[in-house]
Amino acid sequence: MKPDEIAKLTKFLRAKFELPSIAVKKRPQKDDSAEVYIGEEFVGVIFRDEEDGELSYNFSMAILDFDLEDED
C-alpha cells in the first residue's frame, strides 16, 4: 500500500474506534495489505481489494480464545 493510503486508513480507524493509539503500518514485501497495531501490539491486517474499478479495504482480526479469558 502507498503511504497516503496508510495515512488515510490510520486516520479513519482512529476516528471510527475513538482510539488514538491505533496505527496502520506497511508490511514488509507486501503491496496489497498493511498491518494494524494498537500501541506496539499487532491486532490484524488490512487487505486492499480493487475489483471492477472499485476499491475497498478489508480488515481481518483474529481473536484467540485465551485472549477472552478474564485477567483475574
Side-chain angles (χ1 to χ4, degrees):
M1 277 192 217
K2 298 176 185 172
D4 63 322
E5 285 179 293
I6 290 172
K8 287 177 185 179
L9 288 165
T10 296
K11 183 178 178 180
F12 172 81
L13 291 175
R14 286 179 178 172
K16 180 60 68 178
F17 294 117
E18 298 179 3
L19 189 61
S21 63
I22 199 165
V24 180
K25 299 180 182 181
K26 182 172 176 46
R27 290 181 81 187
Q29 297 142 5
K30 299 282 184 179
D31 293 332
D32 65 343
S33 57
E35 297 177 342
V36 180
Y37 288 81
I38 296 176
E40 296 298 315
E41 183 179 359
F42 171 80
V43 295
V45 178
I46 294 181
F47 295 94
R48 185 180 198 272
D49 184 18
E50 192 167 1
E51 192 173 312
D52 299 328
E54 293 186 17
L55 177 61
S56 65
Y57 299 91
N58 300 300
F59 177 47
S60 178
M61 178 178 168
I63 302 170
L64 304 175
D65 64 341
F66 67 82
D67 289 333
L68 300 175
E69 294 177 7
D70 291 331
E71 296 182 16
D72 295 331

